[in-house]
Amino acid sequence: MMTMDQPELHSNISQVRERLSNAAKRANRPASDIRLIAVSKTKPFEAIRYAFAAGITDFGENYVAEGVEKRRLCSDLDITWHFLGPVQSNKTRHIAENFDWIHSVDRLKTASRLNAQRPVDKAPLNVCLQVNIPYEETKSGLTTTSELVELASAIQQLERLSLRGIMAIPPPCADPHLQREQFKLIASLLNTDGLPNHVDELSMGMSGDMEAAIAEGSTMVRIGTDIFGARYT
Ligand SMILES: *Cc1c(COP(=O)(O)O)cnc(C)c1O
């Protein structure tokens, strides 16, 4: 597998940090309110170690087995692990046992399994609900605010889960104005009647649209390509 060298990775990370802080400044927000998650899916664990050495402490993975293996290979590092991918029921145990956050919950069945399987010696698993708004046929996620409120209320009853926010992957689009409109719509969901006030995290923004996401209130940007380079698998 192709790996970029360490200086190149460090320079990518500096550039992404700079973009993040510039976008925060333009939005009159402290950069420290925005968590930078490096999405390391398909990249070797060495890349994670390099990025950690450059100060990155949050990593996102999309595939359960791959994420669990990399966590094992980096178990000496104090990393916060985020699961971002679609969830299959038979994989929930590995997520509950190995990750600190899951951004992609869109069903009570998944939430109940994660709750039952979260080890008692760990803090409750942080959960974001994935919304598919604006609606796209190919994406998973909740599609109405009533579904969102219903699932949020049910999860509030689950003691081993901590409901934190909303995640979305809006359709890629090159126009910054349209990007902002999409993110504004997603951010407005936090004000939905019936959604608890403490649910205030917005996981939105990727390599191509992180500035627009930050302008609309993102608290967690998920950056893969612009940190680790293109993915070949
Ligand atoms: C791959 C992925 C990312 C990172 O995307 P880039 O465009 O490479 O920055 C972010 N979020 C999710 C859910 C992903 O699957």
Side-chain angles (χ1 to χ4, degrees):
M1 184 183 296
M2 241 173 93
T3 318
M4 63 175 55
D5 59 22
Q6 198 159 1
E8 191 181 352
L9 183 59
H10 278 232
S11 137
N12 284 355
I13 289 169
S14 307
Q15 284 173 38
V16 166
R17 282 225 176 87
E18 177 111 356
R19 285 170 59 193
L20 188 156
S21 76
N22 287 338
K25 213 172 286 166
R26 282 195 299 273
N28 282 315
R29 304 179 56 203
S32 57
D33 281 4
I34 301 146
R35 194 190 285 247
L36 174 57
I37 301 172
V39 180
S40 42
K41 64 184 178 209
T42 80
K43 300 296 175 183
F45 78 95
E46 290 89 344
I48 294 179
R49 303 191 75 94
Y50 286 165
F52 184 86
I56 301 278
T57 54
D58 287 82
F59 290 88
E61 291 283 339
N62 280 53
Y63 310 103
V64 177
E66 180 189 334
V68 169
E69 174 68 356
K70 288 191 221 168
R71 176 175 177 265
R72 190 178 66 75
L73 293 166
C74 296
S75 58
D76 55 320
L77 308 179
D78 190 9
I79 287 176
T80 301
W81 293 96
H82 299 256
F83 187 76
L84 308 175
V87 190
Q88 294 164 279
S89 289
N90 60 346
K91 301 280 172 61
T92 51
R93 181 175 297 281
H94 294 295
I95 297 171
E97 290 177 351
N98 289 280
F99 286 84
D100 304 293
W101 284 76
I102 177 167
H103 293 232
S104 45
V105 170
D106 64 359
R107 262 175 295 183
L108 183 55
K109 183 183 172 201
T110 304
S112 302
R113 291 178 66 95
L114 291 168
N115 181 63
Q117 294 165 342
R118 181 67 170 173
V120 287
D121 62 329
K122 287 187 182 288
L125 180 62
N126 294 295
V127 170
C128 290
L129 301 181
Q130 184 172 353
V131 296
N132 181 5
I133 295 172
Y135 178 69
E136 260 191 299
E137 218 168 309
T138 53
K139 293 264 164 71
S140 43
L142 303 157
T143 54
T144 65
T145 52
S146 57
E147 277 178 9
L148 175 65
V149 170
E150 199 177 312
L151 182 54
S153 311
I155 289 180
Q156 288 281 99
Q157 311 304 315
L158 303 178
E159 287 186 354
R160 303 299 299 139
L161 303 184
S162 175
L163 184 60
R164 300 296 300 277
I166 288 173
M167 183 276 249
I169 314 171
C173 106
D175 177 349
H177 295 286
L178 291 180
Q179 290 175 354
R180 280 191 63 163
E181 273 177 35
Q182 292 179 337
F183 288 130
K184 191 196 287 291
L185 182 62
I186 294 157
S188 74
L189 296 172
L190 285 182
N191 301 320
T192 305
D193 273 344
L195 200 64
N197 281 333
H198 72 265
V199 177
D200 60 1
E201 299 275 354
L202 278 175
S203 169
M204 58 186 201
M206 312 193 342
S207 294
D209 54 19
M210 65 178 276
E211 282 86 357
I214 290 169
E216 296 300 341
S218 172
T219 61
M220 293 188 272
V221 290
R222 311 178 309 265
I223 310 299
T225 308
D226 285 357
I227 289 180
F228 295 110
R231 292 177 290 272
Y232 301 98
T233 50

